[in-house]
Amino acid sequence: MIRAPGRAWKLRANFRVIWPGMLVLSAMLTGGQAWSQSTNYAPPTQYYGVGSGVGYINESATGDFNGDGRTDVVVARSYYPLQNQGIPIQIYLNLPRGIIDGTSSVINGSVPTTVHPRGSVIADFNGDGKDDIFIADHGYDASPFPGAQNVLLLSRTDGKLEDKTATNLPQVVDFSHSATGGDIDGDGDIDIYVGNIWGQQQIGPYFLINDGSGNFTADDSMLPLSFRSLSEKFTSSLLKDMDFDGNLDLVLGPHDPNGPRQNVLMKGHGDGTFTYTRLGPIRSGYNDSVHIAVEDITRDGLPEILFSIVPPGYAHAGIQVYTGKADGSFVEVPESELAFFFTAYDFNASSWIKSTFTPRLNSGDCLPDVAFDLVAESPRFLISNLPDNPFVNPGIDTGWMTQTEILDVDGDGANDIFTANSTDATITRQITPPGCPIKLVSAVLPTSRSVQVGQTATIFGAMINLSTSVDATNCRVRMTAPIAGRFDYQTTDPAGNQLTGSPNTPVNIPPRGVQSFVLAFTPSEPMTGRELGFGFVCDNSDTAADIVRGVNTYSFSASTGPVPDIIAIAQTPAPNDGVVRIPTPGGNGVFAMAGINIGAPATLNVAPVIGNGLPVTASICQTDSMGACLSPPSASVAAPFATDQVRTFTVFLQDQGEAVAFDPGRNRIKVEFRNANGGELHGSTGLAVMTQ
């Protein structure tokens, strides 16, 4: 029987250099099975003279900036030696013929400048489906540290970008050392955290709140006073859902020579508010965290946080790692347990880790790798070709004024390496794309349960091996959310859902095979509306089957007293495959559904919920045994449920004249059963929607 476990965290590592300036670690669980093959790269391709030659590149980011489906790179520069003067940004287009300077063809009008960029966010800020650009600029990095204006470029209807800094951003000259983006308030658009640390103006960090059209308003009200007053400062930031509750959390790495120097996790609640949590102090002897990466290195469904840390003077690279636990907390991995911790080894004194990447680099290797972009005048790299070999120092030298990105240059699924200095760019193509032998998909039903604390809630799950020729081996299920309680799984016979095998025992799945499971969770404390995901994973599979809300997640509530618990199912017209097909844009669709209450009696509000901004309206009616509406359809109905009582309903859909693509993971409609007075969810079901 499985309980939410802690664990001893051990990692073995296989180091090798794949490009000067990059230290690569191939992660491998101790005692686990290795599927990796050698990583092969073609000779580098040089693109001379694509850079302006002015200053050096201090910030870069990737996105599709000309709408051709290929990944491009935006670079921003600063002077060295330092000057309080801006340099125009550049956009390197990744065309089939190679890398070119596409700045003038992509940016309409004037090209914005940066003085000393230190962070960027690439996202669709104005809701048109195209990549936009935000660049954080802390300005002249010497006394009096005057700061600089951050930069925003938004996409236009003609596909070009335009500098909207003056109209869509607060006009603030501040010292912005990091930036990270995401929807913090649940309104469907991308907001930005601006990580200010000090400077002449003494302006603290803040969020840029998006109105949905790319107009931003500064708001620091959700941040603690210690942040706003700069008594607690942070040089690195990352928005990420760290506890899988569907809400973005804010991870912060410190810059506090005279302060608490704490790594911090601000747990988000999805409404723009956060709860402050200290992870722990930065490692002794270090002063700043300059970059944050998050990855499930151990593939246990719980994330690791990798802080790139530096001592005063930015000499001697360091990594500090926290590993997630099942209760939602994080624990620092002791230095003695980090096989890839290399501060104690023979690195050049000027080396530090500017960026950390977590791609997968090995063909057939199902574990994530870690690559460090080093800044050093003459770095030397640590290499270990086998996990238990001693470290080897080959003495490879390279220049330090370069910028690195890992991206798929030619769309073949490989992780290619882009590097650029002031004047030139280089592409090193991966010959053998990485990947695992197995790709999985999964689903669960029902999509909601509501029980009393201590009572077990069961649902059914299914895992499909999409390979046509390879068995998926040692396949199992785990909860991805840190949550208080006990989780168990057991295989079933897909034909009749009868139990097979033994509890919590992995199973092999043949090519194109389907394995069904019964999943059981027993909560040990109250909780309301937690969206719980499941990790379906095999030894030789890709990372656990993608988590898609409403497909392989379910909403879970636990109460101290008896509560209603609705098991709901829905049925569409033939072929009854879980997809509502509306004949044409502007047309109508329909589906039937039923719910049985296996919990306490209650009157519940039953309502269809449209997701993903679909151009569809919905109404519902309760039906009799012949399927006839008992009253005219409306937005919701109040339905009294006795214990073990079944109610039936019909849902009517009206398309608003726009086509709806077949995207069953996103274009969905749910029907929810909620408490009529408190709104607590006690049951739900969902279907995909499309127009034909």
Side-chain angles (χ1 to χ4, degrees), residues 427-499:
I427 294 293
T428 305
R429 285 178 171 82
Q430 188 175 20
I431 297 173
T432 307
C436 294
I438 301 298
K439 174 69 177 177
L440 303 173
V441 294
S442 61
V444 301
L445 277 176
T447 56
S448 177
R449 290 298 309 269
S450 176
V451 299
Q452 191 170 349
V453 172
Q455 179 183 353
T456 299
T458 57
I459 63 173
F460 292 104
M463 184 189 305
I464 303 174
N465 173 11
L466 296 183
S467 172
T468 59
S469 60
V470 181
D471 284 354
T473 57
N474 200 34
C475 302
R476 62 267 186 201
V477 189
R478 50 173 169 67
M479 297 194 75
T480 59
I483 191 168
R486 169 176 160 174
F487 174 71
D488 301 279
Y489 73 92
Q490 189 167 346
T491 56
T492 64
D493 177 2
N497 282 326
Q498 298 300 310
L499 290 172

Side-chain angles (χ1 to χ4, degrees), residues 331-350:
V331 175
E332 183 180 357
V333 178
E335 190 173 337
S336 60
E337 294 185 13
L338 285 179
F340 63 89
F341 185 85
F342 50 87
T343 300
Y345 296 93
D346 185 20
F347 254 75
N348 184 281
S350 62

Side-chain angles (χ1 to χ4, degrees), residues 12 94-95 156 205 218 264 286 362 380 383 406 416 442 461 561 572 678:
R12 300 192 307 178
N94 170 27
L95 303 181
R156 296 157 37 102
V264 166
Y286 289 86
N362 306 321
R380 291 169 290 180
I383 296 178
I406 296 179
D416 308 311
S442 61
T572 64

Side-chain angles (χ1 to χ4, degrees), residues 361-676:
L361 298 168
N362 306 321
S363 176
D365 186 337
C366 301
L367 297 172
D369 303 311
V370 181
F372 304 112
D373 184 9
L374 299 170
V375 176
E377 292 184 9
S378 182
R380 291 169 290 180
F381 301 93
L382 302 174
I383 296 178
S384 179
N385 292 323
L386 296 174
D388 298 321
N389 274 7
F391 288 103
V392 178
N393 183 344
I396 297 175
D397 295 339
T398 186
W400 67 285
M401 289 187 180
T402 61
Q403 192 73 21
T404 302
E405 295 288 344
I406 296 179
L407 67 156
D408 183 1
V409 172
D410 44 15
D412 65 351
N415 285 306
D416 308 311
I417 301 171
F418 168 92
T419 57
N421 59 26
S422 182
T423 58
D424 309 320
T426 300
I427 294 293
T428 305
R429 285 178 171 82
Q430 188 175 20
I431 297 173
T432 307
C436 294
I438 301 298
K439 174 69 177 177
L440 303 173
V441 294
S442 61
V444 301
L445 277 176
T447 56
S448 177
R449 290 298 309 269
S450 176
V451 299
Q452 191 170 349
V453 172
Q455 179 183 353
T456 299
T458 57
I459 63 173
F460 292 104
M463 184 189 305
I464 303 174
N465 173 11
L466 296 183
S467 172
T468 59
S469 60
V470 181
D471 284 354
T473 57
N474 200 34
C475 302
R476 62 267 186 201
V477 189
R478 50 173 169 67
M479 297 194 75
T480 59
I483 191 168
R486 169 176 160 174
F487 174 71
D488 301 279
Y489 73 92
Q490 189 167 346
T491 56
T492 64
D493 177 2
N497 282 326
Q498 298 300 310
L499 290 172
T500 61
S502 301
N504 307 313
T505 302
V507 63
N508 295 343
I509 305 176
R512 293 293 184 182
V514 179
Q515 178 61 59
S516 57
F517 301 86
V518 63
L519 314 176
F521 178 67
T522 307
S524 59
E525 63 182 31
M527 60 194 73
T528 301
R530 286 290 305 272
E531 191 80 12
L532 303 183
F534 299 92
F536 293 84
V537 66
C538 308
D539 278 356
N540 59 337
S541 77
D542 201 347
T543 50
D546 294 341
I547 294 177
V548 181
R549 285 195 168 200
V551 176
N552 52 15
T553 69
Y554 82 132
S555 181
F556 184 79
S557 296
S559 175
T560 55
V563 289
D565 186 12
I566 305 296
I567 306 298
I569 58 172
Q571 182 173 358
T572 64
N576 189 27
D577 57 358
V579 181
V580 183
R581 292 171 171 83
I582 300 175
T584 59
N588 299 306
V590 65
F591 65 91
M593 57 165 294
I596 180 172
N597 179 25
I598 62 173
T603 296
L604 300 176
N605 188 65
V606 187
V609 178
I610 304 294
N612 197 34
L614 292 177
V616 175
T617 59
S619 58
I620 188 172
C621 72
Q622 187 175 335
T623 58
D624 61 18
S625 60
M626 301 299 293
C629 287
L630 299 177
S631 59
S634 58
S636 64
V637 295
F641 279 90
T643 300
D644 294 329
Q645 184 172 20
V646 177
R647 297 284 186 183
T648 57
F649 307 85
T650 296
V651 178
F652 303 90
L653 304 181
Q654 171 71 56
D655 183 81
Q656 300 301 296
E658 298 182 34
V660 178
F662 178 66
D663 186 355
R666 300 181 63 211
N667 294 340
R668 302 186 64 80
I669 178 173
K670 288 203 307 182
V671 179
E672 297 182 340
F673 297 74
R674 291 188 177 272
N675 191 317

Side-chain angles (χ1 to χ4, degrees), residues 29 73 77 103-104 109 139 150 156 476 546 629:
L29 285 174
V73 182
R77 302 166 180 267
T103 309
S104 60
N150 296 323
R156 296 157 37 102
R476 62 267 186 201
D546 294 341
C629 287

Side-chain angles (χ1 to χ4, degrees), residues 65-66 73-75 88-93 101-113 131 133 135 151-156 158-164:
F65 301 125
N66 62 348
V73 182
V74 57
V75 299
I89 69 168
Q90 279 189 278
I91 293 181
Y92 292 165
L93 292 181
D101 177 10
T103 309
S104 60
S105 64
V106 170
I107 297 179
N108 180 77
S110 61
V111 178
T113 65
D131 283 337
I133 302 171
I135 301 175
V151 171
L152 177 70
L153 294 99
L154 297 180
S155 55
R156 296 157 37 102
D158 62 3
K160 293 190 175 184
L161 292 164
E162 185 172 358
D163 183 9
K164 304 295 285 186

